[in-house]
Amino acid sequence: MRFLGNVLATVIGLFVFLMLFVFGIIIIATVFGGDSEEISVKNNSVIELNLEHIKNDYAGKYKDPWMSIFSDGEKVGLSDIINAIEEAKTDSDIKGISILNDESELGMAQRKDLRDALEDFKKSGKFVMAYANSYSQKEYYLNSVANTIYLNPVGDFDFKGMSAEMMFFKDLQEKTGVKMEVIRHGKYKSAVEPFLENKMSDANREQITSLLNSVWSSVTSDISKSRNVSVEKLNEIADSLLARTPEMAKNEKLIDVVAYEDVYHDAIRKILKVGKDEDYNKISILEYARKMTTTSENSDTKDKIAIIYAQGEIQSGEGDVNTIGEGSMRRSLIEARKDKNVKAIVLRIDSPGGNALTSDLIWREIELAKKVKPVVVSMGNYAASGGYYIACNANKIFAENNTITGSIGVFGILPNFSQLATKIGLHSEQVKTNVNASEYSPFLPLDEKFKAVTLEGVEHIYKTFVSHVAAGRKMTVAQVDSIAQGRVWSGSEALKIGLVDKIGGLDDAIREAATLSKTKKYSTQNFPEFEKDINDLLQNLPFAKSKESFIKEELGEETYSIMEQIKRVQSRKGVQAIMPFEITIQ
């Protein structure tokens, strides 16, 4: 046994040594070699717009340099991509942009921002071309901006309109004995509807129908302008599936060429005047964006506009590039407020909401900042519920037509296992010194007095939410309440009812902030800067594959996504101000 123990100790020692050795090599290579290879752009080059690894507007930055070295992702956000496209307009080495089999996780408002940047790029006289083996509807929306669109002869073309689906769990709860106790305010708060009903309510159907029609109208309007096909005709194509094959899509003028990828590259060679058997110069958009980020010099002016990115669900704690925490957000707002060189603040929001208390803490910091300098909000894919809470008191609010916003309402969900416990023979009792001393127990039926007190708290937060919106938007409480109740609106709808001021993207919001602060020459500074410890560092090592990665690999993306939705619902603490449903638009 002693011999085996020594062998085991030796093996463990060798393993630890090997890990430290590899870790050391990676650190040395990263620190001393990471920036040694300068990214160069050759003459007569084409940018390949591959956005597979781009999800967020902001890639994030960290106070700890080790976190910056080993953090996940490409260290490039969509805002960097858009800035790079702007630079490429005047870069004499760049002749055009190729969108080749691009698949990304970008939302509809992000695609709109990117689409606008590509439209602007085309004004320089340079080309944008697109090729795909298959087009999903959301990918076609972006690709339709191209001068010429290619599709594989046996590829799929999806163009049929938009839909949304919800699952309901009322019967499942009764069969299993696991019940979700719901305490809410707002008739449209359909985040909890699946636990209360077996079918969609009229109010919920009304809001989803209105939302989908509004977003679809925005999408078809953009495609119509790019492809010179009327909106009426586009709806006819969608209704009758008139573009379901490559040839049919070409006949309906949604694409230009049905051909294989080699033909596409030959067409680019012809434009560049490169021989048919020669390779033409390419540079990925990620590399080009990194080059622009590392080589661009700050303006010689001292004036700055702070861009604070709030992306993900709102939670307590520090937050990161995928979650909004009061730690990083409040710290960023305070720093921007106190910096005399920062003349205005732009808050870029892409959030379905989340924790109501955290939302209020961030709202308060915005209120304090607004007393010192202008605060302008730019809404991305979502700025709903808690996401709207932190936007409502800004001086100006911008949204895209297909932004999802509003959802002014709050709710609480308490899992209750008392019926299940009874079925399996589990019993629970409480002993207390005072009437209200005991906490909520998931193993006992919901006490009506506890429910009444909790509802009182939900009502208080709802009234606070509505009063904040009324003050920020210069409306009466009654006016806000009539468009609140948890209802979700598109950006174009929100403009009509006064929840936003203008339709536009992040660049429009930045220009508005400059106007309000009366500065004409300025640079921008990105926030937040996240504070992470060694545990976060170790979790992000290149060779340390997370348990989430293993599960995703085994279950597949769609199953993993469903599991994550359930996990998020279960993990939410306290009263929630969050968007009423999750929607994936295809």
Side-chain angles (χ1 to χ4, degrees):
M1 290 295 291
R2 191 169 188 177
F3 170 75
L4 291 175
N6 289 335
V7 171
L8 182 60
T10 302
V11 171
I12 292 173
L14 287 171
F15 178 75
V16 172
F17 171 77
L18 180 63
M19 293 295 285
L20 291 174
F21 178 71
V22 174
F23 184 37
I25 289 176
I26 292 172
I27 290 176
I28 293 169
T30 305
V31 174
F32 295 104
D35 297 324
S36 62
E37 185 181 344
E38 184 179 343
I39 299 171
S40 62
V41 182
K42 297 178 181 178
N43 184 38
N44 212 30
S45 289
V46 174
I47 292 176
E48 288 196 333
L49 195 72
N50 186 336
L51 304 171
E52 181 183 0
H53 300 290
I54 303 298
K55 179 181 178 182
N56 295 317
D57 294 322
Y58 177 53
K61 57 183 176 179
Y62 301 86
K63 290 192 173 181
D64 185 340
W66 293 115
M67 282 302 302
S68 296
I69 291 170
F70 291 108
S71 61
D72 259 348
E74 296 289 340
K75 300 182 178 67
V76 173
L78 182 62
S79 58
D80 301 310
I81 299 294
I82 291 174
N83 290 337
I85 293 172
E86 173 68 22
E87 289 289 336
K89 277 173 53 183
T90 54
D91 188 338
S92 59
D93 291 325
I94 299 297
K95 303 304 179 184
I97 294 176
S98 167
I99 312 175
L100 180 61
N101 281 319
D102 179 55
E103 292 185 8
S104 73
E105 298 182 50
L106 297 176
M108 295 304 288
Q110 288 175 309
R111 290 170 194 273
K112 170 63 175 172
D113 259 354
L114 182 56
R115 214 176 175 284
D116 288 346
L118 291 170
E119 282 282 15
D120 187 56
F121 174 84
K122 290 195 308 184
K123 293 177 183 177
S124 66
K126 301 179 181 183
F127 68 82
V128 176
M129 291 179 66
Y131 172 90
N133 289 324
S134 295
Y135 280 121
S136 68
Q137 197 161 246
K138 62 181 181 180
E139 295 302 342
Y140 177 71
Y141 172 59
L142 175 62
N143 282 252
S144 64
V145 76
N147 300 97
T148 311
I149 304 174
Y150 286 68
L151 178 58
N152 186 294
V154 292
D156 294 322
F157 191 89
D158 186 24
F159 194 80
K160 58 180 184 290
M162 295 178 175
S163 65
E165 182 178 274
M166 291 186 68
M167 295 183 68
F168 296 86
F169 312 110
K170 184 180 179 183
D171 283 353
L172 178 65
Q173 292 177 103
E174 292 176 358
K175 289 178 180 178
T176 61
V178 178
K179 184 181 180 183
M180 303 301 285
E181 296 286 359
V182 174
I183 303 172
R184 64 171 174 170
H185 183 107
K187 64 180 180 179
Y188 289 97
K189 214 51 177 160
S190 51
V192 296
E193 190 174 271
F195 302 109
L196 302 174
E197 305 291 342
N198 283 325
K199 64 178 183 178
M200 195 177 293
S201 66
D202 291 340
N204 194 13
R205 184 174 295 278
E206 175 192 345
Q207 73 164 338
I208 293 177
T209 301
S210 177
L211 177 67
L212 289 176
N213 283 333
S214 181
V215 173
W216 178 244
S217 175
S218 173
V219 167
T220 52
S221 176
D222 287 340
I223 294 174
S224 175
K225 291 173 185 175
S226 295
R227 299 301 304 169
N228 196 26
V229 178
S230 70
V231 171
E232 292 76 18
K233 181 61 179 177
L234 289 173
N235 279 309
E236 180 187 336
I237 293 169
D239 287 340
S240 302
L241 299 178
L242 298 180
R244 59 186 182 273
T245 68
E247 286 297 340
M248 292 174 74
K250 182 183 177 183
N251 291 338
E252 298 296 343
K253 299 180 181 180
L254 297 189
I255 64 171
D256 300 293
V257 183
V258 178
Y260 290 99
E261 188 178 329
D262 58 287
V263 178
Y264 171 76
H265 290 298
D266 285 342
I268 294 178
R269 287 188 183 94
K270 187 175 181 180
I271 296 172
L272 299 176
K273 298 179 181 178
V274 172
K276 193 169 183 180
D277 296 325
E278 296 179 50
D279 289 333
Y280 61 88
N281 298 325
K282 313 179 193 73
I283 183 169
S284 77
I285 189 62
L286 297 182
E287 288 183 335
Y288 192 76
R290 286 194 201 99
K291 176 178 172 58
M292 293 301 106
T293 302
T294 55
T295 59
S296 60
E297 296 180 0
N298 288 331
S299 170
D300 56 4
T301 179
K302 289 184 178 180
D303 288 0
K304 295 184 291 186
I305 291 178
I307 306 175
I308 302 177
Y309 291 87
Q311 49 196 33
E313 194 168 311
I314 299 172
Q315 301 175 0
S316 59
E318 170 66 11
D320 54 34
V321 292
N322 295 309
T323 58
I324 302 168
E326 77 264 19
S328 57
M329 287 299 298
R330 294 175 72 188
R331 190 170 59 248
S332 298
L333 286 161
I334 291 170
E335 184 178 340
R337 167 164 56 95
K338 292 184 176 180
D339 188 340
K340 293 182 180 179
N341 292 328
V342 172
K343 302 304 179 183
I345 297 170
V346 173
L347 183 64
R348 172 68 171 183
I349 302 173
D350 190 357
S351 173
N355 186 281
L357 174 58
T358 301
S359 301
D360 193 69
L361 293 172
I362 296 171
W363 172 90
R364 176 60 181 170
E365 289 300 339
I366 294 170
E367 191 72 6
L368 294 174
K370 197 174 69 168
K371 293 178 181 179
V372 180
K373 57 196 65 175
V375 178
V376 178
V377 160
S378 168
M379 294 180 171
N381 300 315
Y382 301 95
S385 211
Y388 189 79
Y389 198 123
I390 64 176
C392 67
N393 58 335
N395 296 94
K396 293 287 181 180
I397 300 176
F398 284 75
E400 295 287 9
N401 279 315
N402 48 19
T403 294
I404 296 174
T405 189
S407 189
I408 303 168
V410 294
F411 68 90
I413 295 179
L414 301 169
N416 192 282
F417 309 106
S418 59
Q419 292 181 22
L420 175 62
T422 301
K423 286 181 181 180
I424 64 175
L426 180 65
H427 303 281
S428 178
E429 291 188 10
Q430 292 179 332
V431 178
K432 48 193 175 185
T433 60
N434 295 81
V435 175
N436 300 306
S438 60
E439 296 288 340
Y440 169 75
S441 171
F443 299 104
L444 293 173
L446 180 64
D447 179 78
E448 287 302 317
K449 188 172 184 180
F450 174 86
K451 183 177 181 179
V453 172
T454 306
L455 179 59
E456 186 179 288
V458 168
E459 294 284 358
H460 173 70
I461 293 174
Y462 177 76
K463 289 177 182 177
T464 303
F465 193 169
V466 170
S467 66
H468 286 341
V469 175
R473 302 305 300 162
K474 296 179 174 56
M475 301 166 72
T476 67
V477 169
Q479 286 174 323
V480 175
D481 188 56
S482 68
I483 56 176
Q485 303 289 328
R487 177 160 180 170
V488 174
W489 306 89
S490 69
S492 56
E493 292 173 323
L495 178 65
K496 295 175 183 177
I497 59 176
L499 291 181
V500 306
D501 296 296
K502 295 181 179 179
I503 298 298
L506 178 58
D507 286 344
D508 297 303
I510 293 171
R511 284 192 288 269
E512 179 72 17
T515 300
L516 292 176
S517 61
K518 298 178 181 178
T519 180
K520 295 182 180 179
K521 196 174 182 181
Y522 57 88
S523 60
T524 58
Q525 182 177 357
N526 291 340
F527 295 87
E529 194 171 48
F530 302 107
E531 294 181 350
K532 294 291 182 178
D533 58 27
I534 190 65
N535 290 324
D536 299 293
L537 174 62
L538 293 174
Q539 288 174 4
N540 285 286
L541 286 176
F543 50 81
K545 196 173 186 181
S546 67
K547 64 180 181 180
E548 285 82 5
S549 299
F550 282 115
I551 295 171
K552 188 183 292 185
E553 191 173 293
E554 291 299 316
L555 297 180
E557 289 282 350
E558 292 186 1
T559 305
Y560 179 79
S561 176
I562 294 171
M563 188 186 75
E564 281 295 289
Q565 290 180 34
I566 296 170
K567 183 179 176 183
R568 285 197 296 272
V569 171
Q570 292 175 332
S571 65
R572 289 167 186 156
K573 306 291 184 183
V575 177
Q576 299 292 306
I578 194 165
M579 205 182 87
F581 54 88
E582 296 193 27
I583 181 172
T584 301
I585 297 176
Q586 296 290 342

